[in-house]
């Protein structure tokens, strides 16, 4: 039998034809941080290129995103006043619900996803209500008020909700609550496998959501546990999630691949703040070819099995894809 050991060299057209993985602007969701006020656009020092913005600036940003071909956004609210139960997130006219209405009115073609959690709204910075006796997050009490948060987002016109607090039973709880109120068609993207990670550091600056005591290890996952990571996502699938997610992305691509192979649901990765900051600061110091490394990183997410990439790089990628 003839065996040829020298491989045929492909020219660039044929390389493009046979490429296994492609990144498209359609793959992206861009996170936005909204705060009260007018004319506010404050850059986050730990994340150059990422801003806290007031709603008027957010509307301009949406215009720019659409020009780049990005139609999906993930909203985080930074309320003026924080308290122990995150009241602003439970109020029909809090920062996030008002923003959903205003954006929908000005940009009905934007696909709005909201991060459903309490850490941005509570004065203690935890992702739920605190059980004062044990000083830990009370899972079941948090499930109850999460329903309220989901329903006001739904009524304000959100297109998809993304519960990120890692409470047990959250997907089933929210699915039932939404169905009961006539929102059977509102999809849920579960932060289904979310690790307790140091990579969230810069986010907590921008969302002003660092826990004032303790950490999130009681409800987020141990980075060392692979089988548990897969079980968490499959449990959310069983509870009715529409999209699964692995977060952070880069250090967990093995987990992305395994969940992708184990589930038939679409998969998202969250390319988090610390991952963004690493590339950004390396690029600013001319340690890497920034554009090239960004694209290489995005390809790695798709190759691992991600369908959706939530990333602060989304606008940069859209521009790189245009040339
Ligand atoms: C809220 C939430 C966090 C992130 C997304 N949603 C912070 C956290 O869990 O501490 C992190 C995103 C990022 O680092 O970019 N629970
Ligand atoms: Zn949270």
């Amino acid at each position: 039998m003839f065996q040829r050991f020298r491989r045929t060299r492909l020219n660039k057209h044929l390389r493009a034809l046979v490429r296994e993985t492609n990144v498209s602007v359609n793959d992206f969701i861009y996170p936005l941080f909204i705060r009260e006020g007018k004319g506010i656009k404050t850059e986050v020092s730990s994340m150059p290129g990422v801003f806290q913005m007031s709603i008027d600036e957010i509307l301009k940003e949406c215009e720019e995103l659409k020009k780049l071909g990005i139609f999906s956004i993930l909203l985080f609210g930074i309320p003026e006043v924080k308290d122990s139960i995150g009241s602003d997130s439970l109020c029909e006219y809090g920062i996030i619900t008002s923003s959903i209405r205003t954006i929908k009115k000005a940009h009905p073609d934007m696909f709005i996803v909201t991060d459903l959690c309490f850490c941005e709204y509570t004065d203690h910075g935890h992702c739920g209500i605190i059980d004062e006796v044990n000083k830990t997050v009370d899972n079941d009490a948090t499930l109850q008020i999460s329903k309220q948060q989901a329903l006001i987002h739904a009524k304000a016109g959100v297109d998809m909700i993304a519960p990120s607090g890692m409470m047990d039973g959250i997907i089933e709880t929210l699915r039932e609550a939404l169905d009961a109120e006539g929102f059977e068609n509102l999809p849920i993207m579960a932060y289904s496998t979310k690790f307790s990670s140091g990579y969230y550091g810069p986010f907590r600056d921008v969302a002003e959501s660092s826990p004032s005591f303790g950490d999130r290890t009681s409800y987020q996952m141990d980075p060392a546990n692979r089988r548990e990571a897969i079980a968490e996502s499959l449990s959310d699938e069983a509870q009715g999630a529409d999209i699964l997610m692995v977060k952070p992305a880069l250090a967990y691509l093995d987990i992305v691949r395994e969940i992708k192979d184990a589930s038939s649901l679409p998969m998202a990765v969250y390319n988090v703040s610390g991952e963004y900051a690493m590339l950004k600061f390396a690029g600013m110091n001319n340690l890497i070819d920034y554009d090239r490394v960004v694209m290489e990183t995005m390809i790695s997410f798709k190759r691992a099995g991600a369908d959706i990439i939530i990333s602060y790089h989304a606008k940069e990628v859209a521009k790189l894809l245009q040339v």
Side-chain angles (χ1 to χ4, degrees), residues 115-120 125-128 164-165 194 216 219-220:
D115 184 272
L116 209 103
C117 203
F118 286 94
C119 53
E120 301 118 73
H126 277 286
C127 299
S164 71
K194 177 171 172 183
R216 303 207 208 290
Y219 42 101
Q220 298 184 349

Side-chain angles (χ1 to χ4, degrees), residues 98-287:
S98 313
S99 304
I100 297 168
R101 288 194 194 89
T102 311
I103 297 169
K104 268 289 158 196
K105 200 161 163 214
H107 300 285
D109 49 351
M110 277 319 256
F111 185 80
I112 305 180
V113 188
T114 48
D115 184 272
L116 209 103
C117 203
F118 286 94
C119 53
E120 301 118 73
Y121 303 95
T122 49
D123 49 13
H124 47 72
H126 277 286
C127 299
I129 295 212
I130 301 296
D131 167 351
E132 287 302 334
V133 181
N134 303 312
K135 291 279 171 213
T136 55
V137 170
D138 183 335
N139 191 88
D140 295 357
T142 305
L143 290 184
Q144 291 314 312
I145 56 167
S146 296
K147 291 194 229 176
Q148 202 177 328
Q149 198 183 133
L151 285 172
I152 61 169
H153 290 197
K155 285 178 190 152
V158 78
D159 294 298
M160 179 158 79
I161 56 168
S164 71
M166 285 294 276
M167 296 302 130
D168 291 334
I170 186 76
I171 302 302
E172 183 182 21
T173 302
L174 296 183
R175 188 70 272 162
E176 278 175 359
L178 291 169
D179 289 357
E181 296 287 325
F183 296 105
E184 299 92 345
N185 287 315
L186 184 66
I188 302 178
M189 175 165 73
Y191 279 71
S192 52
T193 294
K194 177 171 172 183
F195 291 95
S196 173
S197 168
Y199 283 103
Y200 309 147
F203 174 92
R204 294 182 187 167
D205 293 343
V206 57
E208 301 172 5
S209 65
S210 287
S212 58
F213 63 90
D215 58 29
R216 303 207 208 290
T217 48
S218 69
Y219 42 101
Q220 298 184 349
M221 283 208 41
D222 182 345
N225 293 354
R226 177 183 135 247
R227 286 178 304 171
E228 188 189 0
I230 294 152
E232 284 281 351
S233 271
L234 295 182
S235 160
D236 282 2
E237 172 169 23
Q239 291 176 45
D242 298 282
I243 299 174
L244 301 178
M245 191 198 301
V246 172
K247 174 184 164 197
L250 258 191
Y252 299 95
L253 293 182
D254 55 331
I255 305 294
V256 177
R257 168 50 60 196
E258 285 205 55
I259 295 173
K260 178 74 171 186
D261 289 344
S263 165
S264 55
L265 289 183
M267 286 273 305
V269 289
Y270 199 139
N271 175 214
V272 301
S273 56
E275 301 174 73
Y276 174 84
M278 286 196 303
L279 298 196
K280 204 71 197 177
F281 285 105
M284 283 162 66
N285 287 293
N286 289 318
L287 301 171

Side-chain angles (χ1 to χ4, degrees), residues 18-39:
V18 301
R19 186 165 294 136
E20 296 174 36
T21 309
N22 287 290
V23 172
S24 146
V25 68
N26 300 325
D27 300 330
F28 287 87
I29 300 180
Y30 188 60
L32 290 174
F33 300 94
I34 309 180
R35 66 178 321 147
E36 305 280 353
K38 216 174 161 235

